[in-house]
Amino acid sequence: RGDDPVESGHKYEGGLREYVQSMNKNKEVIHEVVVHIIGSKQGGKGEVHVEVALQWTDAYSESVHCFTNIIHNTDGGTHLSGLKSSLTRTINSYAQSRKLLKNVTSLSGDDIREGLSAVVSIKHPDPSFNAQTKSKLVTSEVAGIVEQIVNERLGEYFEENPGIAKSIVEKAVLASRAREAARKARDLTRRKGVLEGGGLP
């Protein structure tokens, strides 16, 4: 799969892994190795092939690029929904089973995807899009297929690479704590404003 074109005018010799590395070349990565997932499942009109590459950085934003049959879907779609669901489920499940969630009950999808750079690419025999521009994939079965494959493969990857899994969870826990601290600070400011501006005697 080394010579798959993943963007018009570009070929990444290392496939999606190299694409993700290029996305992160000016960022500090949390784990050196790009997590690479490949799998296929039977869909309603034939086999659906899924490939995902993931790497977390110390950034505060997420960046995910989506492709269907080598077409860039700028607005994401059902493959992105499946990826998001599986990341939230798999990472929470792993973290809870390893007791890695210190003072945090569970991680939100936003916490988990903070700093994530990823590419999700599917090959589908008959995909549906929202418009002629093909900016968003709307084939409903793809969400479940991507979710299943990522759940299975990422779970296996974490079992085999506990060090990488732990660093990803720790990054998400920090994001969760920062979000909670920001929320408390906002609440405090609001309450203070209400008390000061109430005109009480």
Side-chain angles (χ1 to χ4, degrees):
R1 296 192 48 78
D3 59 354
D4 273 4
V6 288
E7 200 173 24
S8 54
H10 289 83
K11 280 195 177 184
Y12 291 89
E13 292 307 318
L16 299 195
R17 271 186 284 212
E18 194 177 304
Y19 190 170
V20 168
Q21 284 169 336
S22 74
M23 288 165 69
N24 289 339
K25 65 175 181 284
N26 298 320
K27 297 174 187 169
E28 192 70 38
V29 297
I30 301 290
H31 52 101
E32 285 298 324
V33 180
V34 176
V35 181
H36 191 220
I37 293 165
I38 294 178
S40 299
K41 288 245 185 283
Q42 196 62 30
K45 296 190 176 174
E47 196 167 57
V48 180
H49 185 88
V50 176
E51 184 176 2
V52 179
L54 310 156
Q55 189 176 41
W56 276 262
T57 71
D58 66 352
Y60 294 109
S61 57
E62 64 179 277
S63 179
V64 184
H65 294 285
C66 304
F67 296 87
T68 304
N69 299 347
I70 310 173
I71 297 157
H72 190 196
N73 313 123
T74 50
D75 297 327
T78 50
H79 41 6
L80 180 59
S81 305
L83 177 64
K84 285 181 173 181
S85 301
S86 61
L87 288 177
T88 305
R89 177 187 289 182
T90 306
I91 291 174
N92 266 304
S93 169
Y94 182 85
Q96 283 159 353
S97 70
R98 297 296 183 286
K99 302 195 171 22
L100 298 174
L101 298 182
K102 296 180 179 67
N103 305 323
V104 175
T105 47
S106 73
L107 300 164
S108 74
D110 287 338
D111 298 331
I112 284 166
R113 295 191 310 276
E114 184 177 290
L116 171 66
S117 295
V119 183
V120 53
S121 173
I122 67 147
K123 286 194 168 67
H124 193 286
D126 186 24
S128 302
F129 301 97
N130 64 330
Q132 288 299 111
T133 55
K134 300 185 176 178
S135 61
K136 187 174 187 178
L137 178 70
V138 295
T139 309
S140 57
E141 68 175 1
V142 168
I145 290 171
V146 171
E147 191 170 348
Q148 264 185 297
I149 289 170
V150 176
N151 282 349
E152 288 166 18
R153 302 286 195 279
L154 190 60
E156 287 165 11
Y157 186 88
F158 282 175
E159 292 298 330
E160 290 160 15
N161 300 275
I164 290 176
K166 191 175 180 208
S167 60
I168 291 167
V169 170
E170 282 171 352
K171 161 77 177 167
V173 167
L174 281 175
S176 177
R177 286 187 187 143
R179 238 180 278 280
E180 183 59 19
R183 188 188 64 76
K184 283 181 177 164
R186 277 197 308 274
D187 288 352
L188 196 64
T189 308
R190 281 198 200 109
R191 275 204 300 277
K192 211 172 157 195
V194 167
L195 290 172
E196 285 173 356
L200 296 169

